[in-house]
Amino acid sequence: MIEKIEPVQDVKRRRDAVLSSFVDRVPFLKFMGITFDRRGNELTGIMNFDPKLIGNPVVERLHGGGTASFLESAAIITLAWKNIWDAMEAGEIDLENLEGGALPPLPKTIDLTIDYLRPGLPRDAYARATVNRSGRRYASVHVEAWQDRREVLFAQATGHFLMPYEMRP
Amino acid sequence: MVKPNAAQQAFTQNLPLCQALGMEVTDVDEGTATLIMPYSPELIGDPTTGVIHGGAVSALMDSASGLAVYMHPENKGHTATIDLRIDYMRPAAPNKSITAHAEVYHATRSVAFLRATAWTDDRNRPIAQATGAFVFTKKKKTS
């Protein structure tokens, strides 16, 4: 007996719907021009360049506060995504009710330490977060951000997050 | 604390992100600065409670810290954030402006060490605190 394989479009529709509903719920992400690209379960945050993200108008560099926002957002969305994955793949998330409360609240930031390695250039920035530990209550997440070259980071951060009750196993 | 002059007030107007977030300079003194940021639904990070995203609070504290470095009497030249650690102590009450005060508590020839606090109503009940290291160029002593 061969197990029926789920059609690819159904898989993509489910994953994209859950991811975009996490992202669309947060007005600040839209304000900052932060979007997410998905390859399987791997997320890449993108801070799409906009002149309003500039902090130093003389030499045109990204504002450190914008970079901090981007790293924090990438960490939160990646953490929420990692925690919802199993339930989502098991079909336990009501896709018809994503706006109405089928998704748990987002993790809350306890602290974040940002390392500014290079000036942010006036162009798109990318970030990937690694969940180094995800316990029942607390999670520790590391984020790396780059612009033109993946191996040349312009900022990195480590943060601790409080998991919402709904996400605790 | 003294009221900022026109040039000091222009700090937030000249930085596009500060302007986009509606920040204003309220007080400055030697090595310190206070900025205020109005509440806006665009800045919401938690849709269920209407609480402002931590990133916007970080941006406010980072900006206040930058201005505090410029306000240091021995500062000459530009600054940039080297590192910033933010502790989020409680959520910011929705519909309220956030104030951030930053001070340079130590400066070497090349680094300024900063402390910043952010609050809504009561300065003694901060919503977040930050410590950071910033690029600093100390004026040469002329004696």
Side-chain angles (χ1 to χ4, degrees):
Chain A
M1 178 78 188
I2 299 166
E3 202 181 329
K4 191 165 182 292
I5 292 179
E6 196 181 7
V8 64
Q9 63 270 28
D10 290 1
V11 174
K12 283 187 176 173
R13 195 178 303 126
R14 174 178 66 238
R15 294 174 183 171
D16 290 340
V18 169
L19 176 60
S20 61
S21 115
F22 266 129
V23 175
D24 294 346
R25 280 195 305 169
V26 186
F28 186 69
L29 295 178
K30 191 176 173 208
F31 177 82
M32 294 295 293
I34 297 170
T35 54
F36 287 83
D37 192 16
R38 183 187 68 77
R39 294 285 179 271
N41 74 342
E42 185 196 58
L43 297 186
T44 307
I46 303 156
M47 184 162 73
N48 298 273
F49 179 71
D50 185 284
K52 78 175 177 195
L53 299 174
I54 292 290
N56 184 335
V58 182
V59 289
E60 289 237 358
R61 298 293 188 240
L62 295 180
H63 191 294
T67 302
S69 303
F70 178 44
L71 292 166
E72 183 175 339
S73 303
I76 291 173
I77 296 293
T78 304
L79 185 56
W81 173 249
K82 189 182 156 90
N83 277 275
I84 202 86
W85 179 268
D86 287 346
M88 176 182 72
E89 292 301 285
E92 292 163 12
I93 306 293
D94 178 6
L95 297 182
E96 304 307 315
N97 191 30
L98 286 176
E99 306 302 316
L103 291 181
L106 292 167
K108 290 188 167 34
T109 315
I110 301 167
D111 63 64
L112 187 75
T113 305
I114 308 131
D115 210 348
Y116 294 93
L117 304 168
R118 288 184 178 74
L121 301 172
R123 56 189 78 146
D124 291 356
Y126 311 99
R128 264 185 217 144
T130 311
V131 178
N132 285 321
R133 179 170 190 270
S134 180
R136 232 172 63 78
R137 285 200 289 176
Y138 310 112
S140 176
V141 184
H142 184 75
V143 200
E144 293 184 342
W146 71 97
Q147 294 193 295
D148 296 324
R149 290 165 60 199
R150 174 65 182 94
E151 67 278 16
V152 182
L153 303 182
F154 82 103
Q156 62 180 353
T158 300
H160 297 93
F161 299 84
L162 192 62
M163 302 308 292
Y165 284 96
E166 293 81 348
M167 275 193 179
R168 294 178 189 175
Chain B
M1 275 294 169
V2 287
K3 291 292 157 205
N5 65 29
Q8 290 151 357
Q9 272 175 344
F11 177 81
T12 49
Q13 288 151 23
N14 289 337
L15 306 190
L17 187 66
C18 296
Q19 205 181 22
L21 292 167
M23 293 180 200
E24 281 178 35
V25 183
T26 60
D27 290 284
V28 288
D29 209 334
E30 292 194 353
T32 77
T34 308
L35 265 58
I36 191 162
M37 179 174 72
Y39 182 82
S40 162
E42 287 183 315
L43 307 183
I44 291 173
D46 183 346
T48 52
T49 58
V51 168
I52 282 191
H53 195 281
V57 181
S58 307
L60 181 67
M61 290 196 292
D62 185 52
S63 304
S65 300
L67 181 56
V69 174
Y70 282 120
M71 292 306 302
H72 194 278
E74 290 174 292
N75 169 61
K76 77 161 199 178
H78 92 299
T79 189
T81 318
I82 300 169
D83 100 341
L84 192 69
R85 177 198 157 107
I86 304 130
D87 291 335
Y88 294 100
M89 297 155 82
R90 50 174 69 79
N95 297 308
K96 287 187 172 163
S97 301
I98 299 174
T99 305
H101 173 78
E103 59 168 337
V104 177
Y105 68 88
H106 184 67
T108 71
R109 272 179 302 173
S110 48
V111 183
F113 295 92
L114 274 290
R115 263 195 286 264
T117 306
W119 67 92
T120 51
D121 293 314
D122 183 355
R123 198 175 167 163
N124 296 316
R125 284 177 58 80
I127 58 164
Q129 286 189 331
T131 53
F134 283 68
V135 169
F136 188 72
T137 314
K138 208 172 210 171
K139 278 180 189 155
K140 290 220 167 61
K141 282 211 176 75
T142 49
S143 55

